[in-house]
């Protein structure tokens, strides 16, 4: 059974205080690791796709990296508008489905 | 760009009633997915379609749940004889063909079963 574990569950930062979110996964046929942002009451918003270990993607203050067992979402100098829940998901090509983690809820205080 | 749309956005029903939700994917996307999300949890995979074919269905999905995509465009998710445990956000997403493609989500349908 595929497993995706995200840590920490919640993270509170001061504006400008950089940090990282972790996503550990166990999947038999990994074909893509995805990061999404979700605001309360809304559907997830796609951020990044990573396909192979060593791959990195960047967008504004966010940078996603991938190893064979985990992925990190680095947030540099966050702003209050970065406050949201960040979800990690994997696509298992053997099982033919996605598995999501339970997310990290980020709060950035001004 | 119309994105993924879902209707209704909110549904309140009484236990035992049937409900149906609709999802309209991004027009050029062949794959359509359904998820269920409860508070504090990540989306849970329910099923997905490649055009009109239902390719995978979660074994956790009760027989009370059924999904269709008759013409390979919009999809419907029906829940029969609703139970209070069915209360959740039901999310629809779409993607281009192929495993491991990024999925674009709709705003969700919030179901409350009284």
């Amino acid at each position: 059974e595929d497993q995706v574990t995200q840590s920490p569950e919640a993270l509170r930062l001061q504006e400008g205080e950089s940090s990282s979110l972790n996503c550990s996964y166990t999947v038999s046929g990994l074909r893509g690791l995805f990061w999404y942002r979700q605001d309360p009451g809304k559907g997830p918003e796609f951020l990044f796709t990573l396909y192979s270990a060593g791959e990195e993607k960047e967008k504004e203050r966010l940078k996603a990296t991938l190893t064979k067992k985990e992925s990190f979402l680095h947030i540099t100098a966050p702003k209050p508008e970065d406050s949201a829940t960040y979800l990690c998901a994997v696509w298992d090509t053997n099982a033919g489905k996605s598995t999501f983690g339970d997310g990290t809820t980020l709060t950035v205080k001004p | 760009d119309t994105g993924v749309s879902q209707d209704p956005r909110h549904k309140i029903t009484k236990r035992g009633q049937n409900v149906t939700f609709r999802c309209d994917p991004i027009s050029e996307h062949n794959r359509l997915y359904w998820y269920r999300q409860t508070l504090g949890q990540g989306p849970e995979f329910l099923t997905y379609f490649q055009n009109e074919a239902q390719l995978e269905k979660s074994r956790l999905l009760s027989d009370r749940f059924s999904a269709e995509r008759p013409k390979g465009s919009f999809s419907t998710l029906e829940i029969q004889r609703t139970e209070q445990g069915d209360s959740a956000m039901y999310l629809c997403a779409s993607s281009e063909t192929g495993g491991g493609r990024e999925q674009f989500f709709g705003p969700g349908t919030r179901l409350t079963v009284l």
Side-chain angles (χ1 to χ4, degrees):
Chain A
E1 187 79 18
D2 298 336
Q3 284 193 322
V4 177
T5 303
Q6 292 189 245
S7 63
E9 290 185 14
L11 182 62
R12 298 172 69 92
L13 300 174
Q14 288 295 127
E15 185 173 1
E17 180 185 3
S18 302
S19 188
S20 296
L21 282 56
N22 177 263
C23 170
S24 298
Y25 62 90
T26 304
V27 58
S28 62
L30 180 69
R31 183 69 182 104
L33 183 140
F34 308 88
W35 283 97
Y36 292 86
R37 169 191 171 127
Q38 187 172 29
D39 293 301
K42 297 188 177 182
E45 174 190 347
F46 170 74
L47 293 174
F48 302 110
T49 307
L50 301 166
Y51 287 110
S52 56
E55 190 175 0
E56 299 182 352
K57 293 275 181 73
E58 282 189 71
K59 179 181 179 181
E60 297 181 352
R61 295 177 292 282
L62 300 177
K63 178 181 176 180
T65 62
L66 181 65
T67 72
K68 289 186 178 180
K69 294 184 178 180
E70 57 190 352
S71 177
F72 292 93
L73 184 65
H74 307 278
I75 303 177
T76 302
K79 297 181 178 181
E81 53 262 43
D82 294 324
S83 297
T85 295
Y86 290 86
L87 295 165
C88 170
V90 296
W91 176 268
D92 184 341
T93 194
N94 294 334
K97 66 170 192 171
S98 299
T99 300
F100 277 78
D102 288 335
T104 293
T105 300
L106 174 66
T107 304
V108 182
K109 295 286 193 179
Chain B
D1 178 17
T2 56
V4 178
S5 61
Q6 293 188 244
D7 185 69
R9 295 292 307 280
H10 303 274
K11 178 71 177 178
I12 300 173
T13 191
K14 293 182 179 179
R15 189 176 52 191
Q17 298 293 305
N18 299 342
V19 294
T20 299
F21 309 142
R22 175 178 171 126
C23 171
D24 287 88
I26 294 171
S27 58
E28 58 268 29
H29 285 179
N30 293 325
R31 289 201 170 184
L32 185 149
Y33 311 79
W34 284 101
Y35 294 86
R36 176 172 62 191
Q37 186 177 28
T38 54
L39 195 62
Q41 306 291 313
E44 175 190 18
F45 172 84
L46 294 179
T47 189
Y48 86 96
F49 294 83
Q50 169 82 26
N51 299 313
E52 64 274 11
Q54 189 172 17
L55 296 189
E56 195 67 37
K57 184 176 176 180
S58 171
R59 61 176 181 270
L60 301 175
L61 203 60
S62 160
D63 289 343
R64 297 184 295 105
F65 288 70
S66 62
E68 294 184 341
R69 195 183 183 197
K71 297 183 179 179
S73 57
F74 72 91
S75 175
T76 58
L77 177 69
E78 181 183 16
I79 308 174
Q80 296 182 328
R81 305 181 303 282
T82 52
E83 302 172 356
Q84 288 187 326
D86 297 331
S87 295
M89 175 78 88
Y90 289 84
L91 294 164
C92 175
S94 69
S95 77
E96 296 178 347
T97 299
R101 305 303 295 267
E102 51 268 26
Q103 299 175 23
F104 295 88
F105 283 80
T109 294
R110 169 76 64 189
L111 173 66
T112 301
V113 182
L114 301 176

